[in-house]
């Protein structure tokens, strides 16, 4: 715990799945009128997340997670657009490119550092985020 008594958010695979599932529920419940959840959506997210995980994360922590995923999703879309003509690893879904291509991408956009590893499972990230940000839940 931090000095303020707030629990530090740990986004392991269980917490990430619960977060994603609840966000999809709130999108389907029309609690995301614009680019993020509304007050009702966030209140439901905090409550449901605690009920399912027993982790008392705050609304601020939930908003931070939302923002991180939104940024990663945007980066993923950008990288996928740049990857036209490249192959994909059939078992992982990763972009198959040589080291020079990855270095070029890092130079073009320093915000893509998250993806400089060829082993990042881009399809996994896509599946985590696309349901939340594309209204396809």
């Amino acid at each position: 715990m931090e000095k303020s008594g707030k629990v530090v958010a740990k986004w392991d695979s269980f917490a990430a799945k619960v977060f994603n599932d609840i966000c999809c529920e709130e999108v389907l419940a029309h609690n995301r009128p614009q680019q993020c959840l509304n007050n009702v959506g966030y209140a439901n997210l905090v409550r449901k997340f605690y009920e399912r995980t027993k982790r008392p994360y705050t609304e601020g922590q939930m908003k931070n997670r939302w923002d991180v995923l939104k940024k990663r999703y945007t980066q993923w879309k950008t990288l996928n657009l740049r990857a036209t003509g490249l192959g994909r690893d059939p078992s992982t879904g990763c972009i198959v490119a040589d080291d020079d291509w990855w270095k070029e991408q890092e130079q073009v956009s320093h915000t893509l550092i998250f993806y400089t590893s060829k082993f990042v499972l881009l399809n996994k990230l896509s599946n985590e985020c696309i349901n939340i940000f594309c209204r396809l839940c």
Side-chain angles (χ1 to χ4, degrees), residues 1-135:
M1 261 207 231
E2 295 177 356
K3 290 180 183 179
S4 65
K6 180 172 70 172
V7 173
V8 176
K10 300 223 188 301
W11 296 103
D12 55 33
S13 60
F14 172 68
K17 180 172 181 355
V18 171
F19 178 88
N20 294 343
D21 290 347
I22 297 169
C23 285
C24 286
E25 292 168 17
E26 293 308 308
V27 169
L28 288 172
H30 306 288
N31 288 327
R32 191 194 73 166
Q34 297 295 322
Q35 299 299 320
C36 61
L37 297 176
N38 59 21
N39 290 339
V40 172
Y42 275 117
N44 290 341
L45 177 58
V46 170
R47 180 182 48 77
K48 290 177 181 180
F49 189 83
Y50 179 75
E51 289 171 356
R52 296 178 195 180
T53 66
K54 301 302 182 215
R55 298 180 191 188
Y57 294 175
T58 66
E59 183 174 324
Q61 290 168 310
M62 298 295 181
K63 285 181 179 181
N64 288 342
R65 178 67 177 173
W66 179 280
D67 291 343
V68 165
L69 288 177
K70 177 106 176 154
K71 182 178 179 181
R72 287 182 181 174
Y73 176 67
T74 301
Q75 292 171 345
W76 175 83
K77 286 192 324 184
T78 300
L79 187 60
N80 260 339
L81 288 172
R82 292 182 186 156
T84 58
L86 297 175
R88 297 281 178 161
D89 181 310
S91 62
T92 65
C94 291
I95 295 170
V96 177
D98 61 20
D99 289 337
D100 290 337
W101 186 86
W102 287 100
K103 287 177 186 172
E104 181 182 320
Q105 300 314 304
E106 187 176 348
Q107 289 173 354
V108 170
S109 178
H110 296 292
T111 62
L112 292 174
I113 290 171
F114 179 77
Y115 300 105
T116 56
S117 168
K118 291 179 277 188
F119 305 107
V120 173
L121 298 177
L122 295 176
N123 285 343
K124 181 178 182 229
L125 179 63
S126 169
N127 291 337
E128 287 179 2
C129 299
I130 199 165
N131 292 334
I132 299 170
F133 299 116
C134 289
R135 295 185 188 262

